[in-house]
Amino acid sequence: MAASLAAAARRLRRAIRRSPAWRGPSHRPLSSEPPAAKASAVRAAFLNFFRDRHGHRLVPSASVRPRGDPSLLFVNAGMNQFKPIFLGTVDPRSEMAGFRRVANSQKCVRAGGRHNDLEDVGRDLSHHTFFEMLGNWAFGGEYFKEEACSMAWELLTQVYGIPTERLWVSYFDGDPKAGLEPDLETRDIWLSLGVPATRVLSFGPQENFWEMGNTGPCGPCTEIHYDLAGGVGAPQLVELWNLVFMQHNRLVLRRILRRAVRFSMEILKAPPGFLGSLVPVVVETLGDAYPELQRNSAQISNLVLEDEAAFLASLERGRRIIDRTLRTLGPSDMFPAEVAWSLSLSGDLGLPLDMVELMLEEKGVQLDSTGLERLAQEAAQHQARQAKPVQKQGLWLDVHALGELQRQGVPPTDSSPKYNYSLRPNGSYEFGTCEAQVLQLYTEDGTAVASVGKGQRCGLLLDRTNFYAEQGGQASDRGYLVRVGQEDVLFPVARAQVCGGFILHEAVAPECLQIGDQVQLHVDKAWRLACMAKHTATHLLNWALRQTLGPGTEQQGSHLNPEQLRLDVTTQTALTPEQLRAVENTVQEAVQQDKPVYMEEVPLALTAQVPGLRCLDEVYPDPVRVVSVGVPVAHALDPASQAALQTSVELCCGTHLLRTGAVGDLVIIGDRQLSKGTTRLLAITGEQAQQARELGQNLAQEVKAATERLSQGSRDVAEALRLSKDIGRLIEAVDTSVMPQWQRRELLATLKMLQRRANTAIRKLQMGQAAKKTQELLERHSKGPLIVDTVSAESLSVLVKVVRQLCEQAPSTSVLLLSPQSMGKVLCACQVAQGAMPTFTAESWALAVCSHMGGKAWGSRVVAQGTGSTTDLEAALSTARAYALSQL
């Protein structure tokens, strides 16, 4: 029997870890199978079963984008929305706090974080990036393992009619390293339900222990699997159900779409536009359960079709590059890391590295992973340098190089094509390409060369460019260039910078490039658009500060990249939370109005006498570029219009949005005084800003709940201490979270006040507790030179207070008290009467007793305390009495 069980366990392990592989659309004739039930029928049967038979409440699916939970990229399990219940942080007045029996169908995405199935998608028939998770939940001890297993078995075998002989179950067999025992209770439950012992098998934490993440709810789980083989040969198992028993607590989407595009075209041989054509099917299938799909179906279709069309061109080009490179390799050669890297660094039209690796794997070719790691490290170092506002490290044209260019009569780079972009009717931006000629090439040390070779990092000087070079506080563009007539070879451009009127492009050459080559430049659209949004937001923020704080507020500097913006301004004092909030509201109003942004080059002289026109202490070109929000430039520059006093009008060479609505939102997430009179503000926009607001609201609710707990009062010291610790954790969370700064300031002020009140309440409870225990001890002991006894106390602080009060009421008595705690730990506190010193000291008394208990002690001649561990308190008390009597 043991041998057969071991063999079955090995078969099950192999089956679970190797589910049926995808072998193409004609892998199995489906016509012989009975018609499959529709998803809507399966979902309805599940929900009705738990609602009608077992009294569960049905709750709607949460959004796949986590609300106010920075620990998750996406909602990846049905339990995510109930996380506050498991963590005990749910607002007691909320609807969720009343949940007991709940069932739901949750939209899930597993393409990032701890539960990432992306690498398994397309390789078998059981992994998905998006799926619905049907779940039933029991809170507050409503039911646990026995009822959960019984309900699952009843639904599968009686409602869905699945033959019992097709079902296998597994349970957790423990983890000695983590100190976790086997879940024998669950094993016995399955056996009692009639599951044969040969199909009830145990596994370790990898298969049968569930964790939300590195922190949060976790516990053993039991899985139910369906055998596709039907008992013929080795089992082919597909997981149907995972029952998680949360007993413990431990303290992507474009890539998905593009993988789907590739599989639909290359595996299914589907025509272009195939994925977009499936949107109505998805809406029809899931729309009743998830109404938001019906509301946004047109937007979803457009998004999928646009991205699919853009990516197909990139995929075709990438396949040609890979095939051409493979023809040059020998049988045992690895695929060059430089080529793979160039494919992945081509902006928002590039191929993700994981897809390049997958395409090579399918052809049986190994990628040069060592070289790839080297390139990744170099890129990370380069990005770290670029993150700093002003850097002139690496490639740079010094005075000698600039002099040589001028001697040769090379004209400054024409960068006007960087403004060649337009707004489509659907709200998206179209960025034009730019054709240029290579005028000069430089090595990394600044040496001018006629050509550069494969894999070389180099500087390119072109006659014209559409790349924005880092200046005016705006980060440089990035993207790629190709040689005209050879569009398959991509030269990634990591940065562009201005050197004396010339724009130097930093690039990696996957192949030879030489002076005179004609190239076509492509900016990374997503990167550029994010910079445009941040730059326009910076202008709006600057204007909103003047509106709120007065015209004396002046910009001292700024820097922005796709992630965030920074603005330094002159202020008389630090901004108050009310002022920060007013500034945000002013920006939001301008964003919501979706005002047009006008940009025009004008003679510098026209800007000299315009009231309210914002310019920095810089040397501006003539003509100069003017950026005006909501008002045409000609009108804004009319001195009689006063328009520049009412809106944002600045001299600026940066790239901007054409309408303010694309900023989406703005949240100031930090402020600090750089020096007297200068404040630095950090802000984010768009989706990041909205997430920061949601997180702020969630934390505000937690602070409100803590305030109510404190107002209700604590019954004892232990409860008061728990509240104080909870407030401390909230202070840390509010202090470190990305959230509105005005709200952070207000919540921190509230929390610090709560912390003071909580500490005061603790002291009062401790004093009251100490007084009560003092009276009990005085009644127990007759007056004499010595009191040695045990007393219950939650902390050393309370124990010391009891000792002090005893000595105050009996000044001639020396006192030592022990307080047993959990796990055999013992607290010790003592005080020696004034008349017993100097031969008898509290420090030596406590040390003698705590040493006996294997612990330590500290204190003074009068008062001392310590800790130890013992199960024999009487022996410790005897040691205390004996030592004291020997000294008295």
Side-chain angles (χ1 to χ4, degrees), residues 777-778 780-789 806-807 810-817 829-833 836 840-842 845 849 876-888:
L777 287 165
L778 286 173
R780 190 186 312 167
H781 294 271
S782 59
K783 290 189 179 293
L786 194 63
I787 294 179
V788 175
D789 208 338
L806 276 172
C807 290
S812 60
T813 302
S814 297
V815 179
L816 184 143
L817 298 178
C830 65
Q831 181 170 335
V832 172
F840 186 24
T841 68
W845 196 12
V849 177
L877 292 172
S878 297
T879 299
R881 293 189 190 97
Y883 183 87
L885 292 174
S886 70
Q887 300 297 314
L888 288 173

Side-chain angles (χ1 to χ4, degrees), residues 711-779:
S711 299
Q712 292 168 2
S714 300
R715 292 169 296 184
D716 51 39
V717 174
E719 185 178 343
L721 288 171
R722 284 195 298 271
L723 176 57
S724 179
K725 289 181 180 178
D726 289 344
I727 293 173
R729 284 192 288 266
L730 264 179
I731 289 175
E732 183 179 2
V734 171
D735 195 39
T736 58
S737 294
V738 178
M739 62 182 293
Q741 183 70 357
W742 66 264
Q743 192 174 35
R744 186 197 319 277
R745 294 255 213 93
E746 290 184 350
L747 293 182
L748 284 176
T750 300
L751 285 168
K752 289 176 182 177
M753 177 271 293
L754 294 179
Q755 189 79 80
R756 290 193 296 270
R757 287 176 54 192
N759 291 339
T760 300
I762 290 171
R763 286 193 294 271
K764 287 182 178 179
L765 286 168
Q766 287 179 340
M767 291 299 292
Q769 188 183 67
K772 180 180 178 182
K773 296 184 183 301
T774 297
Q775 287 304 121
E776 293 174 354
L777 287 165
L778 286 173
E779 292 171 3

Side-chain angles (χ1 to χ4, degrees), residues 71-74 76 109-118 211-214 252 255:
S71 68
L72 292 174
L73 277 174
F74 304 107
N76 57 16
V109 173
R110 289 195 172 178
R114 187 179 188 90
H115 297 284
N116 181 3
D117 290 342
L118 184 57
E211 298 167 291
M212 180 65 255
N214 293 327
V252 157
R255 289 171 61 199

Side-chain angles (χ1 to χ4, degrees), residues 57-301:
R57 175 179 181 175
L58 303 187
V59 298
S61 169
S63 167
V64 294
R65 183 173 65 83
R67 302 284 181 178
D69 188 347
S71 68
L72 292 174
L73 277 174
F74 304 107
V75 167
N76 57 16
M79 64 76 61
N80 289 165
Q81 67 171 307
F82 307 121
K83 196 173 176 181
I85 298 179
F86 294 112
L87 293 177
T89 60
V90 63
D91 188 334
R93 300 167 304 162
S94 68
E95 181 184 31
M96 185 180 290
F99 287 174
R100 290 299 176 263
R101 295 183 176 215
V102 170
N104 68 335
S105 177
Q106 173 64 48
K107 305 187 295 287
C108 299
V109 173
R110 289 195 172 178
R114 187 179 188 90
H115 297 284
N116 181 3
D117 290 342
L118 184 57
E119 295 306 318
D120 293 315
V121 173
R123 300 173 184 268
D124 58 31
L125 297 176
S126 59
H127 284 90
H128 309 276
T129 50
F130 170 83
F131 58 96
E132 295 178 79
M133 183 176 286
L134 302 173
N136 60 298
W137 313 90
F139 305 120
E142 187 71 12
Y143 62 80
F144 202 42
K145 296 181 181 180
E146 183 172 3
E147 295 87 347
C149 293
S150 299
M151 292 176 191
W153 197 252
E154 178 187 3
L155 176 63
L156 292 178
T157 60
Q158 297 182 25
V159 177
Y160 289 142
I162 298 176
T164 57
E165 61 269 21
R166 286 275 186 120
L167 299 177
W168 293 65
V169 297
S170 63
Y171 67 93
F172 180 56
D173 68 355
D175 183 1
K177 293 181 180 179
L180 299 173
E181 296 293 328
D183 188 9
L184 302 181
E185 179 186 1
T186 298
R187 178 201 64 182
D188 294 338
I189 291 170
W190 288 122
L191 294 175
S192 69
L193 288 171
V195 184
T198 54
R199 297 206 301 272
V200 180
L201 303 175
S202 62
F203 295 99
Q206 183 175 349
E207 293 87 3
N208 280 97
F209 194 87
W210 196 93
E211 298 167 291
M212 180 65 255
N214 293 327
T215 66
C218 59
C221 64
T222 179
E223 296 178 344
I224 307 175
H225 293 263
Y226 179 81
D227 184 6
L228 295 173
V232 179
Q236 297 181 22
L237 301 180
V238 174
E239 180 184 346
L240 286 182
W241 207 317
N242 188 355
L243 293 162
V244 179
F245 307 123
M246 295 183 187
Q247 302 171 210
H248 310 284
N249 179 24
R250 288 186 178 173
L251 298 182
V252 157
L253 287 165
R254 181 164 277 148
R255 289 171 61 199
I256 300 174
L257 181 61
R258 292 181 170 181
R259 282 207 178 195
V261 170
R262 178 172 175 264
F263 274 99
S264 64
M265 186 183 76
E266 296 187 357
I267 306 297
L268 300 179
K269 309 301 181 186
F274 172 69
L275 284 182
S277 70
L278 293 179
V279 171
V281 180
V282 175
V283 173
E284 180 184 358
T285 305
L286 301 176
D288 291 339
Y290 311 112
E292 61 271 23
L293 295 178
Q294 297 174 338
R295 292 193 299 268
N296 303 313
S297 60
Q299 180 183 357
I300 295 169
S301 294

Side-chain angles (χ1 to χ4, degrees), residues 217-448:
C218 59
C221 64
T222 179
E223 296 178 344
I224 307 175
H225 293 263
Y226 179 81
D227 184 6
L228 295 173
V232 179
Q236 297 181 22
L237 301 180
V238 174
E239 180 184 346
L240 286 182
W241 207 317
N242 188 355
L243 293 162
V244 179
F245 307 123
M246 295 183 187
Q247 302 171 210
H248 310 284
N249 179 24
R250 288 186 178 173
L251 298 182
V252 157
L253 287 165
R254 181 164 277 148
R255 289 171 61 199
I256 300 174
L257 181 61
R258 292 181 170 181
R259 282 207 178 195
V261 170
R262 178 172 175 264
F263 274 99
S264 64
M265 186 183 76
E266 296 187 357
I267 306 297
L268 300 179
K269 309 301 181 186
F274 172 69
L275 284 182
S277 70
L278 293 179
V279 171
V281 180
V282 175
V283 173
E284 180 184 358
T285 305
L286 301 176
D288 291 339
Y290 311 112
E292 61 271 23
L293 295 178
Q294 297 174 338
R295 292 193 299 268
N296 303 313
S297 60
Q299 180 183 357
I300 295 169
S301 294
N302 291 336
L303 186 150
V304 172
L305 287 170
E306 286 180 9
D307 202 74
E308 181 179 5
F311 182 62
L312 279 174
S314 179
L315 181 63
E316 182 62 27
R317 180 174 61 233
R319 188 165 49 237
R320 290 200 304 269
I321 294 173
I322 290 175
D323 290 340
R324 189 184 67 187
T325 305
L326 290 176
R327 288 195 292 269
T328 67
L329 299 179
S332 59
D333 290 346
M334 290 190 293
F335 193 87
E338 291 81 5
V339 179
W341 190 253
S342 69
L343 285 171
S344 71
L345 285 183
S346 306
D348 60 342
L349 292 182
L351 298 179
L353 265 178
D354 56 353
M355 183 176 289
V356 175
E357 292 182 273
L358 181 62
M359 294 168 72
L360 293 174
E361 181 183 321
E362 292 171 350
K363 295 177 179 293
V365 178
Q366 186 178 358
L367 178 61
D368 179 10
S369 56
T370 303
L372 200 63
E373 186 175 329
R374 174 180 54 80
L375 290 173
Q377 290 176 348
E378 291 177 0
Q381 294 169 357
H382 189 71
Q383 186 174 1
R385 292 197 300 269
Q386 185 174 342
K388 299 179 181 178
V390 179
Q391 286 289 335
K392 295 185 179 179
Q393 301 176 3
L395 289 165
W396 181 255
L397 299 183
D398 59 20
V399 64
H400 303 290
L402 292 173
E404 180 63 18
L405 289 171
Q406 292 166 359
R407 186 186 65 79
Q408 295 175 8
V410 179
T413 309
D414 174 17
S415 63
S416 59
K418 66 176 177 280
Y419 300 125
N420 181 21
Y421 55 91
S422 58
L423 187 60
R424 294 171 176 164
N426 64 359
S428 63
Y429 280 80
E430 183 175 7
F431 296 87
T433 58
C434 174
E435 289 197 3
Q437 183 180 22
V438 179
L439 301 181
Q440 186 62 64
L441 293 164
Y442 297 90
T443 60
E444 285 193 90
D445 62 3
T447 303

